[in-house]
Short mmCIF file of all heavy atoms in Angstrom, two decimals:
data_model
loop_
_atom_site.label_atom_id
_atom_site.label_comp_id
_atom_site.label_asym_id
_atom_site.label_seq_id
_atom_site.Cartn_x
_atom_site.Cartn_y
_atom_site.Cartn_z
N LYS A 778 6.22 6.44 16.41
CA LYS A 778 7.18 6.04 17.49
C LYS A 778 8.53 6.62 17.20
O LYS A 778 9.30 7.03 18.13
CB LYS A 778 7.29 4.52 17.52
CG LYS A 778 8.11 4.04 18.70
CD LYS A 778 7.87 2.52 18.99
CE LYS A 778 8.11 1.53 17.86
NZ LYS A 778 8.18 0.14 18.32
N TYR A 779 8.88 6.88 15.94
CA TYR A 779 10.28 7.39 15.64
C TYR A 779 10.24 8.83 15.14
O TYR A 779 11.31 9.23 14.60
CB TYR A 779 10.83 6.45 14.51
CG TYR A 779 10.94 5.00 15.11
CD1 TYR A 779 10.11 4.05 14.56
CD2 TYR A 779 11.91 4.70 16.09
CE1 TYR A 779 10.24 2.76 15.11
CE2 TYR A 779 11.97 3.42 16.55
CZ TYR A 779 11.14 2.44 16.08
OH TYR A 779 11.31 1.18 16.63
N VAL A 780 9.20 9.52 15.22
CA VAL A 780 9.22 10.92 14.96
C VAL A 780 9.62 11.84 16.12
O VAL A 780 9.06 11.71 17.19
CB VAL A 780 7.73 11.36 14.41
CG1 VAL A 780 7.72 12.93 14.23
CG2 VAL A 780 7.34 10.60 13.15
N SER A 781 10.69 12.55 15.90
CA SER A 781 11.17 13.37 16.95
C SER A 781 10.16 14.61 17.07
O SER A 781 9.69 15.16 16.14
CB SER A 781 12.59 13.90 16.69
OG SER A 781 12.61 14.79 15.64
N LYS A 782 10.00 15.09 18.36
CA LYS A 782 9.07 16.24 18.57
C LYS A 782 9.59 17.47 17.89
O LYS A 782 8.86 18.35 17.46
CB LYS A 782 8.83 16.43 20.05
CG LYS A 782 8.04 15.31 20.72
CD LYS A 782 7.73 15.39 22.09
CE LYS A 782 6.93 14.16 22.58
NZ LYS A 782 6.69 14.06 23.91
N GLU A 783 10.85 17.56 17.95
CA GLU A 783 11.45 18.86 17.36
C GLU A 783 11.32 19.05 15.94
O GLU A 783 11.28 20.09 15.43
CB GLU A 783 12.99 18.94 17.69
CG GLU A 783 13.40 18.80 19.17
CD GLU A 783 13.37 17.34 19.70
OE1 GLU A 783 13.78 16.52 18.96
OE2 GLU A 783 12.91 17.18 20.79
N LYS A 784 11.23 17.90 15.21
CA LYS A 784 11.19 17.89 13.76
C LYS A 784 9.92 17.17 13.25
O LYS A 784 9.94 16.64 12.16
CB LYS A 784 12.40 17.29 13.14
CG LYS A 784 13.69 17.99 13.51
CD LYS A 784 13.73 19.38 12.90
CE LYS A 784 15.01 20.09 13.28
NZ LYS A 784 15.06 21.43 12.87
N SER A 785 8.85 17.03 13.99
CA SER A 785 7.68 16.34 13.65
C SER A 785 7.09 16.87 12.33
O SER A 785 6.54 16.12 11.54
CB SER A 785 6.71 16.18 14.74
OG SER A 785 6.18 17.50 15.13
N GLY A 786 7.04 18.23 12.16
CA GLY A 786 6.44 18.76 11.00
C GLY A 786 7.04 18.28 9.71
O GLY A 786 6.45 17.90 8.76
N ILE A 787 8.41 18.36 9.70
CA ILE A 787 9.15 17.93 8.45
C ILE A 787 9.08 16.43 8.27
O ILE A 787 8.95 15.90 7.15
CB ILE A 787 10.62 18.43 8.43
CG1 ILE A 787 11.31 18.16 7.11
CG2 ILE A 787 11.41 17.83 9.59
CD1 ILE A 787 10.71 18.94 5.91
N ILE A 788 9.14 15.65 9.42
CA ILE A 788 9.14 14.23 9.19
C ILE A 788 7.64 13.80 8.72
O ILE A 788 7.67 12.96 7.86
CB ILE A 788 9.42 13.60 10.56
CG1 ILE A 788 10.73 13.99 11.13
CG2 ILE A 788 9.28 12.06 10.44
CD1 ILE A 788 11.96 13.57 10.30
N TRP A 789 6.66 14.33 9.26
CA TRP A 789 5.32 13.99 8.75
C TRP A 789 5.13 14.63 7.35
O TRP A 789 4.41 13.95 6.57
CB TRP A 789 4.22 14.44 9.71
CG TRP A 789 4.03 13.48 10.89
CD1 TRP A 789 4.42 13.68 12.18
CD2 TRP A 789 3.47 12.18 10.79
NE1 TRP A 789 4.10 12.59 12.91
CE2 TRP A 789 3.54 11.63 12.06
CE3 TRP A 789 2.92 11.39 9.76
CZ2 TRP A 789 3.13 10.33 12.34
CZ3 TRP A 789 2.49 10.10 10.05
CH2 TRP A 789 2.59 9.63 11.29
N GLY A 790 5.62 15.81 7.18
CA GLY A 790 5.49 16.35 5.79
C GLY A 790 6.18 15.55 4.77
O GLY A 790 5.75 15.39 3.64
N SER A 791 7.30 14.93 5.13
CA SER A 791 8.09 13.97 4.23
C SER A 791 7.19 12.73 3.96
O SER A 791 7.11 12.22 2.87
CB SER A 791 9.39 13.49 4.93
OG SER A 791 10.18 14.68 5.08
N TYR A 792 6.47 12.28 4.99
CA TYR A 792 5.56 11.12 4.73
C TYR A 792 4.49 11.51 3.70
O TYR A 792 4.31 10.78 2.76
CB TYR A 792 4.92 10.59 6.04
CG TYR A 792 3.99 9.50 5.76
CD1 TYR A 792 4.44 8.24 5.56
CD2 TYR A 792 2.68 9.72 5.50
CE1 TYR A 792 3.62 7.19 5.23
CE2 TYR A 792 1.83 8.75 5.16
CZ TYR A 792 2.28 7.42 5.02
OH TYR A 792 1.42 6.44 4.67
N GLU A 793 3.93 12.65 3.91
CA GLU A 793 2.84 13.10 3.01
C GLU A 793 3.44 13.34 1.61
O GLU A 793 2.76 13.00 0.56
CB GLU A 793 2.16 14.32 3.51
CG GLU A 793 1.46 14.22 4.89
CD GLU A 793 0.35 13.13 4.79
OE1 GLU A 793 -0.28 12.86 3.85
OE2 GLU A 793 0.23 12.54 5.91
N GLY A 794 4.57 13.94 1.46
CA GLY A 794 5.21 14.21 0.24
C GLY A 794 5.58 12.89 -0.47
O GLY A 794 5.41 12.71 -1.66
N MET A 795 6.02 11.95 0.32
CA MET A 795 6.33 10.65 -0.26
C MET A 795 5.13 10.03 -0.88
O MET A 795 5.18 9.51 -2.02
CB MET A 795 6.89 9.69 0.83
CG MET A 795 7.13 8.29 0.45
SD MET A 795 5.65 7.16 0.41
CE MET A 795 5.10 7.16 2.09
N TYR A 796 3.95 10.06 -0.24
CA TYR A 796 2.76 9.61 -0.70
C TYR A 796 2.40 10.18 -2.07
O TYR A 796 2.12 9.50 -3.04
CB TYR A 796 1.58 9.87 0.27
CG TYR A 796 0.24 9.43 -0.26
CD1 TYR A 796 -0.15 8.11 -0.10
CD2 TYR A 796 -0.60 10.24 -0.95
CE1 TYR A 796 -1.42 7.74 -0.47
CE2 TYR A 796 -1.79 9.88 -1.45
CZ TYR A 796 -2.26 8.59 -1.23
OH TYR A 796 -3.41 8.10 -1.63
N TYR A 797 2.50 11.50 -2.22
CA TYR A 797 2.16 12.15 -3.47
C TYR A 797 3.17 11.88 -4.57
O TYR A 797 2.90 11.70 -5.76
CB TYR A 797 1.97 13.71 -3.25
CG TYR A 797 0.75 13.99 -2.43
CD1 TYR A 797 0.94 14.56 -1.19
CD2 TYR A 797 -0.54 13.61 -2.86
CE1 TYR A 797 -0.25 14.86 -0.39
CE2 TYR A 797 -1.55 13.94 -2.14
CZ TYR A 797 -1.45 14.49 -0.87
OH TYR A 797 -2.58 14.81 -0.11
N PHE A 798 4.54 11.96 -4.25
CA PHE A 798 5.51 11.69 -5.26
C PHE A 798 5.44 10.27 -5.76
O PHE A 798 5.60 9.99 -6.96
CB PHE A 798 6.98 11.96 -4.67
CG PHE A 798 7.15 13.48 -4.39
CD1 PHE A 798 7.77 13.87 -3.25
CD2 PHE A 798 6.84 14.41 -5.36
CE1 PHE A 798 8.02 15.24 -2.99
CE2 PHE A 798 7.11 15.80 -5.12
CZ PHE A 798 7.66 16.21 -3.94
N THR A 799 5.34 9.33 -4.87
CA THR A 799 5.31 7.95 -5.31
C THR A 799 4.02 7.64 -6.13
O THR A 799 4.03 6.84 -7.07
CB THR A 799 5.51 6.88 -4.12
OG1 THR A 799 4.48 7.18 -3.21
CG2 THR A 799 6.86 7.06 -3.59
N THR A 800 2.89 8.27 -5.73
CA THR A 800 1.73 8.09 -6.51
C THR A 800 1.84 8.64 -7.86
O THR A 800 1.43 8.04 -8.86
CB THR A 800 0.51 8.67 -5.75
OG1 THR A 800 0.37 8.10 -4.45
CG2 THR A 800 -0.82 8.46 -6.55
N ALA A 801 2.43 9.80 -8.04
CA ALA A 801 2.66 10.43 -9.31
C ALA A 801 3.56 9.53 -10.18
O ALA A 801 3.28 9.32 -11.35
CB ALA A 801 3.33 11.82 -9.15
N PHE A 802 4.62 9.05 -9.59
CA PHE A 802 5.54 8.23 -10.28
C PHE A 802 4.76 6.89 -10.72
O PHE A 802 4.89 6.44 -11.89
CB PHE A 802 6.77 7.83 -9.42
CG PHE A 802 7.55 6.71 -9.95
CD1 PHE A 802 8.46 6.92 -11.10
CD2 PHE A 802 7.45 5.34 -9.53
CE1 PHE A 802 9.16 5.93 -11.70
CE2 PHE A 802 8.17 4.35 -10.12
CZ PHE A 802 9.00 4.59 -11.21
N GLY A 803 4.02 6.32 -9.79
CA GLY A 803 3.26 5.13 -10.09
C GLY A 803 2.29 5.30 -11.24
O GLY A 803 2.12 4.40 -12.08
N ALA A 804 1.63 6.51 -11.24
CA ALA A 804 0.61 6.72 -12.30
C ALA A 804 1.24 6.77 -13.60
O ALA A 804 0.66 6.18 -14.58
CB ALA A 804 -0.05 8.07 -11.98
N ILE A 805 2.42 7.36 -13.74
CA ILE A 805 3.03 7.45 -15.11
C ILE A 805 3.65 6.09 -15.47
O ILE A 805 3.38 5.63 -16.51
CB ILE A 805 4.17 8.44 -15.10
CG1 ILE A 805 3.59 9.92 -15.04
CG2 ILE A 805 5.06 8.33 -16.32
CD1 ILE A 805 4.59 10.96 -14.73
N ALA A 806 4.23 5.36 -14.48
CA ALA A 806 4.76 4.01 -14.75
C ALA A 806 3.71 3.10 -15.08
O ALA A 806 3.83 2.27 -16.02
CB ALA A 806 5.51 3.58 -13.51
N GLY A 807 2.54 3.09 -14.41
CA GLY A 807 1.47 2.22 -14.69
C GLY A 807 0.95 2.39 -16.11
O GLY A 807 0.70 1.42 -16.86
N GLY A 808 0.75 3.58 -16.48
CA GLY A 808 0.27 3.91 -17.83
C GLY A 808 1.28 3.37 -18.97
O GLY A 808 0.82 2.71 -19.94
N LEU A 809 2.52 3.59 -18.68
CA LEU A 809 3.56 3.12 -19.64
C LEU A 809 3.62 1.66 -19.68
O LEU A 809 3.71 1.03 -20.74
CB LEU A 809 4.95 3.70 -19.31
CG LEU A 809 5.10 5.18 -19.56
CD1 LEU A 809 6.45 5.67 -18.89
CD2 LEU A 809 5.08 5.46 -21.05
N ILE A 810 3.49 1.04 -18.47
CA ILE A 810 3.56 -0.48 -18.53
C ILE A 810 2.36 -1.09 -19.21
O ILE A 810 2.57 -2.07 -20.03
CB ILE A 810 3.63 -0.99 -17.04
CG1 ILE A 810 5.02 -0.72 -16.42
CG2 ILE A 810 3.31 -2.49 -16.95
CD1 ILE A 810 5.03 -0.86 -14.90
N VAL A 811 1.18 -0.58 -18.99
CA VAL A 811 0.05 -1.12 -19.65
C VAL A 811 0.12 -0.90 -21.19
O VAL A 811 -0.21 -1.76 -22.01
CB VAL A 811 -1.27 -0.55 -19.03
CG1 VAL A 811 -2.48 -0.88 -19.91
CG2 VAL A 811 -1.53 -1.12 -17.69
N LYS A 812 0.51 0.28 -21.57
CA LYS A 812 0.63 0.68 -23.03
C LYS A 812 1.54 -0.31 -23.75
O LYS A 812 1.35 -0.74 -24.72
CB LYS A 812 1.08 2.08 -23.16
CG LYS A 812 1.24 2.44 -24.64
CD LYS A 812 1.69 3.94 -24.76
CE LYS A 812 1.93 4.19 -26.27
NZ LYS A 812 1.00 5.12 -26.89
N PHE A 813 2.72 -0.67 -23.11
CA PHE A 813 3.71 -1.43 -23.79
C PHE A 813 3.74 -2.90 -23.36
O PHE A 813 4.19 -3.81 -24.18
CB PHE A 813 5.19 -0.79 -23.52
CG PHE A 813 5.26 0.63 -24.22
CD1 PHE A 813 5.28 1.67 -23.45
CD2 PHE A 813 5.22 0.73 -25.62
CE1 PHE A 813 5.36 2.95 -24.05
CE2 PHE A 813 5.38 1.99 -26.20
CZ PHE A 813 5.44 3.08 -25.43
N LEU A 814 3.25 -3.24 -22.22
CA LEU A 814 3.45 -4.64 -21.75
C LEU A 814 2.11 -5.32 -21.33
O LEU A 814 2.00 -6.44 -21.05
CB LEU A 814 4.42 -4.77 -20.55
CG LEU A 814 5.80 -4.20 -21.00
CD1 LEU A 814 6.65 -4.02 -19.76
CD2 LEU A 814 6.49 -5.18 -22.00
N GLY A 815 1.04 -4.50 -21.12
CA GLY A 815 -0.20 -5.06 -20.73
C GLY A 815 -0.48 -5.05 -19.31
O GLY A 815 0.36 -4.81 -18.47
N PHE A 816 -1.87 -5.39 -18.98
CA PHE A 816 -2.31 -5.26 -17.56
C PHE A 816 -1.71 -6.38 -16.69
O PHE A 816 -1.36 -6.16 -15.61
CB PHE A 816 -3.85 -5.38 -17.55
CG PHE A 816 -4.54 -4.05 -17.67
CD1 PHE A 816 -5.17 -3.79 -18.83
CD2 PHE A 816 -4.55 -3.16 -16.60
CE1 PHE A 816 -5.86 -2.55 -19.02
CE2 PHE A 816 -5.31 -1.99 -16.74
CZ PHE A 816 -5.87 -1.65 -17.92
N ASN A 817 -1.43 -7.57 -17.26
CA ASN A 817 -0.83 -8.65 -16.41
C ASN A 817 0.51 -8.30 -15.94
O ASN A 817 0.89 -8.54 -14.83
CB ASN A 817 -0.89 -9.96 -17.21
CG ASN A 817 -2.26 -10.64 -17.18
OD1 ASN A 817 -3.12 -10.23 -16.44
ND2 ASN A 817 -2.47 -11.60 -18.08
N PHE A 818 1.35 -7.68 -16.86
CA PHE A 818 2.65 -7.22 -16.43
C PHE A 818 2.52 -6.13 -15.31
O PHE A 818 3.33 -6.16 -14.42
CB PHE A 818 3.49 -6.80 -17.60
CG PHE A 818 4.92 -6.66 -17.30
CD1 PHE A 818 5.79 -7.73 -17.31
CD2 PHE A 818 5.45 -5.44 -16.83
CE1 PHE A 818 7.16 -7.65 -16.99
CE2 PHE A 818 6.79 -5.26 -16.53
CZ PHE A 818 7.58 -6.37 -16.56
N LEU A 819 1.56 -5.25 -15.51
CA LEU A 819 1.32 -4.23 -14.49
C LEU A 819 1.02 -4.87 -13.13
O LEU A 819 1.66 -4.57 -12.14
CB LEU A 819 0.18 -3.35 -14.92
CG LEU A 819 -0.28 -2.35 -13.83
CD1 LEU A 819 0.85 -1.24 -13.65
CD2 LEU A 819 -1.61 -1.70 -14.25
N PHE A 820 0.15 -5.84 -13.11
CA PHE A 820 -0.25 -6.48 -11.86
C PHE A 820 0.87 -7.24 -11.20
O PHE A 820 1.10 -7.19 -10.00
CB PHE A 820 -1.46 -7.35 -12.05
CG PHE A 820 -2.64 -6.54 -12.46
CD1 PHE A 820 -3.50 -7.17 -13.46
CD2 PHE A 820 -2.99 -5.33 -12.10
CE1 PHE A 820 -4.63 -6.51 -13.95
CE2 PHE A 820 -4.10 -4.62 -12.56
CZ PHE A 820 -4.93 -5.27 -13.45
N LEU A 821 1.73 -7.91 -12.01
CA LEU A 821 2.98 -8.52 -11.47
C LEU A 821 3.89 -7.52 -10.92
O LEU A 821 4.54 -7.77 -9.82
CB LEU A 821 3.69 -9.30 -12.58
CG LEU A 821 2.93 -10.68 -12.96
CD1 LEU A 821 3.65 -11.24 -14.13
CD2 LEU A 821 2.94 -11.65 -11.81
N SER A 822 4.05 -6.42 -11.61
CA SER A 822 4.96 -5.32 -11.14
C SER A 822 4.43 -4.76 -9.79
O SER A 822 5.21 -4.60 -8.83
CB SER A 822 5.08 -4.24 -12.13
OG SER A 822 5.53 -4.68 -13.42
N MET A 823 3.14 -4.56 -9.71
CA MET A 823 2.55 -3.95 -8.44
C MET A 823 2.71 -4.93 -7.31
O MET A 823 3.13 -4.53 -6.25
CB MET A 823 1.03 -3.75 -8.72
CG MET A 823 0.77 -2.56 -9.66
SD MET A 823 -0.99 -2.46 -10.23
CE MET A 823 -1.91 -2.34 -8.78
N ALA A 824 2.45 -6.25 -7.58
CA ALA A 824 2.62 -7.26 -6.51
C ALA A 824 4.08 -7.32 -6.09
O ALA A 824 4.36 -7.47 -4.94
CB ALA A 824 2.14 -8.62 -7.08
#
Side-chain angles (χ1 to χ4, degrees):
K778 186 164 55 169
Y779 298 109
V780 172
S781 69
K782 290 181 181 172
E783 304 80 38
K784 299 294 180 187
S785 64
I787 187 66
I788 302 297
W789 279 109
S791 296
Y792 176 82
E793 299 300 329
M795 174 277 300
Y796 177 87
Y797 292 115
F798 291 134
T799 56
T800 301
F802 169 77
I805 292 170
L809 289 170
I810 289 170
V811 169
K812 179 177 172 117
F813 294 108
L814 301 168
F816 274 104
N817 284 346
F818 193 84
L819 172 70
F820 299 141
L821 285 173
S822 300
M823 292 165 60

